[in-house]
Amino acid sequence: MTDTMRSHGEPARGPSAAAAAVTTGGANALMRLTDPPMRAVQRLIGAARMPYVFLLPNLVFFGLFVFLPIGINIVFSVTGGTALFPAERPYVGAEHYARLLDCGSYLEAASCREDLFWRGVGNTLTFTVFQMVAMVLFSLITALVLNRPIRGRGFFRAVYFFPVLLSPVVVALIWKWILQRDGLLNAVLTTAGGEKILFFVDPGWAMFWSVFVSVWAHMGFYTLILLAGLQAIPRDVYEAAEMDGTRPWRVFHRITLPLLWPNLLVVLVLVLIRSVQVFDEVFVLTGGGPGTATMMVVQYIYTTAFANQVQNFGLAGAASVLLGVVLFVLTLIQLFLTRRRAS
């Protein structure tokens, strides 16, 4: 039969072609089913309003899982008691906000009524500063190296991006296994004749490894953004600079950095926002310890609302609203700087 079809000039159809035909037929059938109701909706509301019909599922999802929780959180922040349902909670106004902001000196957490909150703020600021510097520096260096015609460039690009695909909890568990008292790193040190180092007992080491693990886990994502920016720079600019005998450092300072600035700005703001709301990696890695040396603001919110014996949803809600305001301001700064740079 196949030979007969070929003899008449009709090509044979393999399994893949048959599967493609079935898929196309199913898609066409689905389009025929959805076409009449969509045309009816278009006649009812007009063609200009049809985009809202396609946006409606996302808007419903966003409203249920973003806007509604934000509204409930604000309600909790101005109500008191231990009841879970908002209708059963008495209104207390700004009492929780006043409690969080009641400080003798904002630079001394011990002088604040909620000292754990301000310790979390201080730790978050420390974490944010060190992580931003390390993340941007190492991401930029890695992007510059991977943008060069080195051997195995595709392999190294995949290797640097691989940690981004891992869950933050998995990343933290891996490094906790490496860094714990009887972990892999201490095993190597003792085999080499050294002594064990208690990384999670010393506050300085705990903060250092918290920053290191976060940079290791997310650097590939920001490297990818910077690498895309580097590849968008026209090669003619570098060729002209090379013909003029411009030194490499001057090329980097005068050409690469200015043209890479939009991508660098995006990286700076994204790193800043992520650093402010860090929780899962540090919590799994150190548990906020030793003591409260690595307890971040989000961990304070989680502990206050869920982990304490007396769950204070109102105080946790107020702290999360303050954190949300900070993130909102950071987002506005990003938009302002981006538009200013574009203009």
Side-chain angles (χ1 to χ4, degrees), residues 158-212:
V159 167
Y160 277 100
F161 190 76
F162 177 74
V164 180
L165 304 177
L166 299 177
S167 166
V169 175
V170 172
V171 170
L173 288 174
I174 291 173
W175 280 99
K176 188 174 183 178
W177 173 68
I178 294 173
L179 298 171
Q180 63 187 353
R181 178 186 179 91
D182 297 320
L184 181 61
L185 185 55
N186 274 326
V188 174
L189 291 176
T190 53
T191 303
E195 296 183 357
K196 291 183 179 180
I197 301 177
L198 304 180
F199 296 107
F200 298 140
V201 173
D202 181 82
W205 275 116
M207 181 61 74
F208 169 81
W209 285 110
S210 298
V211 173
F212 175 86

Side-chain angles (χ1 to χ4, degrees), residues 21-276:
V22 171
T23 303
T24 304
N28 291 335
L30 181 62
M31 293 296 294
R32 286 194 296 269
L33 288 175
T34 57
D35 184 66
M38 294 304 293
R39 288 183 179 275
V41 172
Q42 182 174 340
R43 286 193 297 268
L44 181 63
I45 66 175
R49 297 187 178 89
M50 282 301 293
Y52 296 102
V53 175
F54 296 101
L55 289 174
L56 184 60
N58 284 332
L59 291 176
V60 171
F61 181 85
F62 211 74
L64 287 176
F65 296 101
V66 177
F67 290 119
L68 182 60
I70 290 176
I72 295 175
N73 190 70
I74 294 175
V75 171
F76 271 83
S77 70
V78 295
T79 56
T82 57
L84 179 61
F85 295 101
E88 301 174 1
R89 298 176 58 83
Y91 177 77
V92 297
E95 178 181 320
H96 297 304
Y97 296 97
R99 179 175 174 180
L100 289 173
L101 300 176
D102 184 9
C103 278
S105 173
Y106 292 111
L107 299 178
E108 297 181 7
S111 67
C112 300
R113 184 178 177 184
E114 281 297 317
D115 58 329
L116 289 179
F117 173 75
W118 288 101
R119 286 197 182 103
V121 170
N123 293 335
T124 303
L125 289 176
T126 302
F127 178 88
T128 299
V129 170
F130 283 104
Q131 199 217 25
M132 280 188 62
V133 173
M135 187 76 79
V136 174
L137 179 62
F138 288 111
S139 297
L140 180 59
I141 293 174
T142 306
L144 290 171
V145 172
L146 294 179
N147 193 47
R148 298 176 64 85
I150 60 176
R151 182 175 297 178
R153 183 171 59 177
F155 169 76
F156 287 110
R157 287 179 180 178
V159 167
Y160 277 100
F161 190 76
F162 177 74
V164 180
L165 304 177
L166 299 177
S167 166
V169 175
V170 172
V171 170
L173 288 174
I174 291 173
W175 280 99
K176 188 174 183 178
W177 173 68
I178 294 173
L179 298 171
Q180 63 187 353
R181 178 186 179 91
D182 297 320
L184 181 61
L185 185 55
N186 274 326
V188 174
L189 291 176
T190 53
T191 303
E195 296 183 357
K196 291 183 179 180
I197 301 177
L198 304 180
F199 296 107
F200 298 140
V201 173
D202 181 82
W205 275 116
M207 181 61 74
F208 169 81
W209 285 110
S210 298
V211 173
F212 175 86
V213 170
S214 182
V215 172
W216 181 87
H218 304 288
M219 186 182 71
F221 174 72
Y222 304 108
T223 298
L224 188 65
I225 296 176
L226 296 177
L227 185 60
L230 288 173
Q231 293 182 344
I233 300 176
R235 299 302 305 172
D236 299 343
V237 180
Y238 290 111
E239 292 174 359
E242 185 178 356
M243 292 177 63
D244 292 339
T246 309
R247 295 181 178 180
W249 170 251
R250 191 170 181 83
V251 171
F252 175 75
H253 179 67
R254 294 291 185 177
I255 298 176
T256 304
L257 274 184
L259 295 178
L260 191 62
W261 174 247
N263 298 73
L264 200 57
L265 177 62
V266 171
V267 169
L268 283 169
V269 176
L270 290 178
V271 172
L272 178 61
I273 292 175
R274 183 176 182 83
S275 301
V276 171

